[in-house]
Every structure is written in C-alpha cells, then in structure tokens.
Amino acid sequence: SQDKWNELKSKNVFNNRTLQNSYPPGSIFKLMLGAIALENKLIKKDWKVNCNGFYDFFDTRFHCWKEDGHGTLNLTEAIQQSCNIYFYNLMQKVDFDLWHKETSKFGFGKTTGIDLPNEKKGLVPNRKYMSNKYKNRGGWSAGHLLNLSIGQGELLTTPLQIINLVNIIANDGDSYTPHINIDFASTKKNVSYKKSVFKEIKQGMSDAVYKEGGTAYNINISDNNVKVYGKTGTAQLCANCDIEPHAWFAGFMELKNGKVFSICVLIENGGKGSDKPTKISKEIFEFIMSKYV
C-alpha cells in the first residue's frame, strides 16, 4: 500500500549503507596515521609514548578511552590496545597537508568505482575545508587534528572504503576495484609504501587479536590453519550524550592454503567496536573456514 511504501521510505531501508552512507571510522583510522608516519620516516617503529590517560593541548584536555592509561607503548602496542594518547602525540609530527595527501592515496575522499549506483565519497577534510568551517569561530587549529588522528571530527568514510584500506594492508599495497558483476573488469591499484610499513601495521592488527589487552580479542580463532588480523573502532557521535557510538570491526583472515578473506562490520549505534562487531566477524570467519579449510 502507499502508506506502507511511505513508511519504508521514511526509515531509510533502501540505503545501501556499505557505499551510500558515510560514518566517522573511529580508531580504525589509527592504522592510516601509523602507516603515514612510518612511510615518511617521521618515527621509527620503536618510537614510544607514555599514556597516563590524558593529553593536554593548550587549555583542552583530551582523554584516552582507558582512564588510568596504557603506560609506555610503541606503535604496534598502540594499535593492539587502541591507545588514543599515542596517536594524539603522533599526529603532532604529521603535517596536515601530508596527512590529507596520503589518506587520499588509500582511496578516502573518493569513490572506489564499484559497479553499483550512488556511491558516496565520504569526506577527508583539507586545510581549506577546515579554515572555512571554523572561520567564524576563531579559525581552526592543530587541536582539531587530534580528533582526526583517531577517526573522529569531520572525517567521514564508507564501509566500502574501510574494507579497501584493509585489502591494501593485507596485500602490501595492492587493491582491486570491487565489483558485484563477475564480468566486471577489475583494475589493480597500488599504494607504493614499503613492505616493512605494512608489516608493522599487520603486526599491530595481529596483536590486537591474539595478545592480552588487544581490543579485537573476541575474534581470536585458535586454529593453526588460520591467522586473523583486525582493528576495532568506536566512533562517538556526540559528547556527553545518550546516543550510542557506531561500532566497527575491520580485518582479514589468512588461511594456510593461501586464501585471504577481508571483512568490515559496522553496527550503527552499536556501542563498543570490541564487542558485537568482533563476535559477528568471528562467526563469519568460522563459517568461511568450514568451507575452505
């Protein structure tokens, strides 16, 4: 009926959220910042930061999700435990223009080219965008970049862009145009980062799954035929409000026979990324294993 049709339209059920909606990616974007810093030799892999639970930037205090802090961490440990303070410090070493240019190389702020209509580009803010947005509020400052470093603030991505990031990491820089039609001519693309950079990022993603304190521990599959890599994200939508954050998990699974499967799970207003998205992903990976192992 017309009434039922109008009700369905009002609930946005016809949106393909994979590519037609964009969301703040939360801590998944820490992978991006870590890769940029390593590739551009802004830090060495053993560069460490002490997290005591907060980061003071002029008159504003930024907090880690772990109130009492993580202690002293290097990059892989910061990815494993998803430490905000580490990446707040790291962002101060990265020029904003460089950050924007490098994130664009990984496909953010542009469409993937999938053979489906109305794909969104998301938003990767540049200096001009930030200056225009904050011109009537004293202008933007480096403090705004702290939010971007942990996938918050003005940054918006589609789940399809996030899984494309995972594919680039899994394939040491290579990705292919995603498609539904089996006859679609997929184009190979490459992000020419050093393999050592991807190795460090993957180590942090592996530790997030298998090491104590890893935020992706729920997806730990103890089977010698498989290795899982992952990163969780909890994307806040507002400060001091009752709206639940979006919950993310993105990662990939390598089977001993050489097959690799990537996944991205996003639950709108789903709470912590370390909870439901990791559990859902584990069930999917275990189903895949039952078919291919």
Side-chain angles (χ1 to χ4, degrees):
S1 67
Q2 187 64 48
D3 287 344
K4 189 63 178 176
W5 174 254
N6 291 336
E7 179 190 344
L8 290 170
K9 283 200 298 182
S10 71
K11 292 180 178 177
N12 258 354
V13 297
F14 298 117
N15 269 19
N16 184 339
R17 285 163 167 75
T18 304
L19 55 105
Q20 292 177 346
N21 284 15
S22 53
Y23 308 86
S27 292
I28 290 175
F29 227 67
K30 293 171 180 174
L31 304 175
M32 193 69 258
L33 181 57
I36 292 170
L38 287 174
E39 176 65 23
N40 290 276
K41 299 180 179 177
L42 302 176
I43 62 168
K44 293 182 178 179
K45 65 181 183 179
D46 57 354
W47 182 72
K48 294 182 178 180
V49 167
N50 180 51
C51 169
N52 59 4
F54 61 87
Y55 179 83
D56 286 329
F57 189 82
F58 292 95
D59 60 348
T60 304
R61 176 162 285 188
F62 293 81
H63 293 274
C64 193
W65 66 267
K66 189 176 181 183
E67 293 182 6
D68 56 349
H70 289 97
T72 302
L73 302 158
N74 61 21
L75 177 59
T76 55
E77 291 166 335
I79 291 172
Q80 170 202 343
Q81 300 177 53
S82 202
C83 174
N84 290 353
I85 306 306
Y86 184 95
F87 290 95
Y88 289 152
N89 280 274
L90 182 55
M91 193 63 170
Q92 299 305 314
K93 291 180 170 288
V94 180
D95 179 77
F96 188 23
D97 293 330
L98 174 67
W99 178 86
H100 181 269
K101 182 184 78 170
E102 296 301 299
T103 54
S104 298
K105 285 183 183 178
F106 282 76
F108 295 102
K110 58 185 76 171
T111 59
T112 66
I114 192 170
D115 52 336
L116 289 170
N118 305 319
E119 183 183 1
K120 287 275 185 70
K121 292 181 179 180
L123 173 64
V124 179
N126 57 16
R127 195 179 294 270
K128 180 179 178 182
Y129 175 92
M130 296 290 280
S131 296
N132 286 337
K133 177 164 184 176
Y134 292 100
K135 65 181 177 182
N136 297 322
R137 286 175 277 174
W140 76 278
S141 73
H144 290 106
L145 305 187
L146 298 181
N147 284 327
L148 297 177
S149 73
I150 61 168
Q152 297 276 178
E154 292 72 21
L155 183 67
L156 293 171
T157 64
T158 66
L160 192 60
Q161 289 171 332
I162 291 295
I163 204 166
N164 189 55
L165 168 65
V166 169
N167 292 341
I168 291 170
I169 294 169
N171 295 326
D172 292 334
D174 290 337
S175 68
Y176 296 84
T177 309
H179 62 92
I180 301 298
N181 184 345
I182 198 169
D183 296 322
F184 185 86
S186 188
T187 305
K188 182 180 178 180
K189 301 173 185 176
N190 178 264
V191 177
S192 56
Y193 275 29
K194 294 183 287 291
K195 282 195 173 183
S196 60
V197 171
F198 292 117
K199 181 181 178 182
E200 286 302 307
I201 300 301
K202 283 190 273 194
Q203 185 62 57
M205 295 173 73
S206 172
D207 291 347
V209 175
Y210 293 106
K211 280 196 173 181
E212 184 178 352
T215 59
Y217 59 90
N218 278 330
I219 200 172
N220 185 329
I221 299 174
S222 51
D223 187 308
N224 292 332
N225 291 305
V226 62
K227 187 166 185 183
V228 179
Y229 304 76
K231 183 73 193 77
T232 59
T234 305
Q236 302 289 339
L237 303 177
C238 52
N240 301 317
C241 65
D242 294 330
I243 301 174
E244 287 288 322
H246 294 326
W248 291 87
F249 174 80
F252 62 99
M253 173 176 67
E254 291 179 343
L255 302 185
K256 219 169 187 179
N257 60 18
K259 293 185 181 294
V260 181
F261 298 87
S262 55
I263 194 169
C264 174
V265 171
L266 166 66
I267 304 176
E268 293 178 344
N269 310 116
K272 292 182 179 180
S274 59
D275 189 15
K276 293 175 184 175
T278 52
K279 294 173 181 176
I280 290 170
S281 298
K282 183 175 184 177
E283 286 193 30
I284 294 171
F285 276 162
E286 287 177 336
F287 174 80
I288 292 170
M289 286 173 61
S290 71
K291 302 294 181 184
Y292 288 98
V293 173

